[in-house]
Amino acid sequence: MKGKVKNILCMAAVLALLGWTVHTIFQEQTPGQLAAALLGADWRVLLLGVPLMVLFICCEAGATHAVLRALGCPQPFRRCAYYSSVGFFFSTITPSATGGQPAQVLAMSKDGTPAASGALDMLLVTIGYNTAAMIWGVFALFTAGGLTERLGGQIGLLLGLGLAVFGLLDVAMFLFLFLPGPARKLLYGCIALGAKVYPPLDRAGLEAKADEHLREYRRGADLIRRAPALLVQVVGLSTLQLACSYAMPYVVYRAFGLSGFGLGQIMALQALCSIAVGYLPLPGSAGAAENVFLRGFLLIYGEALVAPAMILSRTLSCYLVLIVTGAVLAVGRVVRRPTVAQAQAKHEPESKTGPSSLERAS
C-alpha cells in the first residue's frame, strides 16, 4: 500500500513539473515558433549525439566487464552492454533510479553470474559513478565561471544540496569500503539515535541489514586490494560516461549554428544542472531536469532557442535512449536464454565457500 502511494505521489509530482514546463515554454513562444526552431536545427550535427549515447552505455558496460572478469565470472562485452541497457531503462522509469541495479543483478544471474558478484559489481560501478560526478562537479565550479551566477537562487539551492548529497554519499561509500570498523560504529550510532527518536524502529533488523551491506563492502575492498587498478579503471570509465552525457547540449548548440561558448563551459554547466536534480526522487529527473535546463541555459541559447534546445537535448540524452534500451530489453528477453547447465556451472566456484546473504535472499 505504501509503495502504491509513493508511486502515485511520484507520478503526480512528475506530471505537475512537466505541466509547468509546458506552460513555461508556451508563455514565451507559440507552437508554430517552437516547431520552426526545431526544424531549423541541423539534423546532421544532431546525429553526432547518437554515437555519444552509444558510448555512454558502453562505458558502463566496460566497467561491468572489468569487474566481473576480476571476480572470476566474466561475461562477453555484448552481454555487459545488455546489462547496461537494462539498468538505464529501469533507472529512468523508477524514482531515484532505484529499479536499475536490481534489474541488472537479475539479468546477470540469469546468465549464471552469482547474485553476490552482480551486487558487488553494482556497488563498484555506483562508487565510480558518484566519484566521477563529484570530479565533474568540482571541475564545473572552476570552469563555468560567471555562468553559475545565472542559475538563480532556487537552482543554486538545488545545486548546493546536490553537491552535498553526492559528496556525503561518496565519503560514506569510501569509508565503508576502506574503514569498515569506524563505518560500523557510525551506522550503529545512527540507528541507536533513530531508535531514541522513534521507539517503534526495528533496531535489530536495521543492524542486521547494516552488517550485510558492510560485508559486501568488505568483499569490494578485498577485490580492490587484489586488483588495485580496477577502481581507477571504473572511475575513469564513469568520468568518460558522464562526459558523453554532458556534451549533448553542445551538440545541440552547434546544430543551431551558435558560437561564443566553448565545449568545456557548456559541459560544466550541464554537469551542474545534472547534479542539481540528480538526487531528486523522480523517474529520470523528469520535469525537474527540463525546468533547470530552461533556467540554466537561457544565457547560452537565448529566449528563442532555449526551449527547442531543451527538447532536443533531453530527447537525445534521455527519451530516445529510453526507447532504444527498452527495445534492446524486449529483444534480449526473447533471444537470450542461457541453459540451466551453464548457470549451474558458473555458480559452482562460489558455492564452495557457501552462499552469501544476497544469494540466499534471491
Side-chain angles (χ1 to χ4, degrees):
M1 184 64 183
K2 289 182 179 179
K4 289 183 178 180
V5 172
K6 181 181 177 181
N7 289 334
I8 290 172
L9 290 175
C10 178
M11 290 308 300
V14 170
L15 291 174
L17 285 168
L18 288 175
W20 179 254
T21 302
V22 173
H23 171 72
T24 302
I25 291 173
F26 290 121
Q27 263 192 329
E28 303 296 333
Q29 53 197 159
T30 65
Q33 291 172 326
L34 181 64
L38 290 171
L39 293 173
D42 189 337
W43 292 91
R44 294 169 299 180
V45 178
L46 290 175
L47 287 176
L48 294 175
V50 176
L52 277 177
M53 295 318 298
V54 171
L55 182 57
F56 176 89
I57 294 173
C58 288
C59 283
E60 183 179 312
T64 292
H65 185 261
V67 172
L68 293 181
R69 184 174 53 194
L71 285 169
C73 47
Q75 292 287 356
F77 184 84
R78 66 180 183 277
R79 288 191 177 179
C80 294
Y82 174 78
Y83 306 148
S84 296
S85 297
V86 170
F88 188 93
F89 179 82
F90 284 103
S91 293
T92 304
I93 65 173
T94 54
S96 300
T98 52
Q101 293 190 355
Q104 284 177 278
V105 173
L106 179 61
M108 292 179 200
S109 67
K110 289 181 178 179
D111 285 336
T113 299
S117 296
L120 182 55
D121 167 59
M122 291 293 94
L123 171 65
L124 295 179
V125 169
T126 299
I127 291 173
Y129 185 91
N130 279 327
T131 302
M134 283 304 299
I135 290 171
W136 271 107
V138 173
F139 164 79
L141 288 175
F142 287 99
T143 306
L147 292 176
T148 55
E149 299 173 3
R150 303 274 181 167
L151 294 177
Q154 293 177 336
I155 299 178
L157 178 60
L158 288 175
L159 174 60
L161 289 173
L163 287 170
V165 169
F166 276 102
L168 286 173
L169 285 175
D170 221 32
V171 170
M173 285 189 290
F174 277 99
L175 178 66
F176 296 160
L177 198 62
F178 297 113
L179 295 172
R184 188 173 186 271
K185 291 180 180 179
L186 177 62
L187 281 176
Y188 271 46
C190 291
I191 293 169
L193 178 62
K196 287 182 180 179
V197 175
Y198 183 67
L201 192 70
D202 182 10
R203 182 172 176 176
L206 289 174
E207 288 176 349
K209 287 183 179 180
D211 287 336
E212 182 180 336
H213 285 300
L214 286 171
R215 281 194 294 272
E216 293 301 324
Y217 276 95
R218 195 152 45 242
R219 290 187 68 224
D222 292 340
L223 177 61
I224 291 170
R225 278 191 286 270
R226 295 198 305 268
L230 180 63
L231 186 58
V232 176
Q233 183 179 359
V234 171
V235 172
L237 286 168
S238 297
T239 304
L240 177 59
Q241 179 186 24
L242 288 176
C244 295
S245 177
Y246 297 159
M248 200 60 65
Y250 184 75
V251 172
V252 176
Y253 183 74
R254 297 301 300 169
F256 281 124
L258 301 174
S259 60
F261 290 97
L263 173 63
Q265 287 177 298
I266 293 179
M267 288 179 70
L269 186 57
Q270 179 58 54
L272 295 177
C273 290
S274 296
I275 290 172
V277 300
Y279 65 96
L280 296 177
L282 299 170
S285 299
E290 286 83 358
N291 276 282
V292 168
F293 190 103
L294 290 173
R295 179 76 63 84
F297 281 89
L298 181 60
L299 178 66
I300 302 293
Y301 294 102
E303 290 186 1
L305 292 177
V306 67
M310 179 273 292
I311 293 172
L312 292 174
S313 182
R314 285 289 285 171
T315 297
L316 287 171
S317 64
C318 183
Y319 303 123
L320 179 61
V321 181
L322 179 63
I323 294 171
V324 172
T325 53
V328 170
L329 177 61
V331 173
R333 285 186 171 179
V334 175
V335 301
R336 295 169 62 258
R337 299 188 182 278
T339 65
V340 175
Q342 287 175 326
Q344 289 177 343
K346 290 188 177 183
H347 274 287
E348 283 178 1
E350 290 202 8
S351 63
K352 295 178 182 178
T353 60
S356 71
S357 57
L358 281 175
E359 288 172 303
R360 288 196 297 270
S362 64

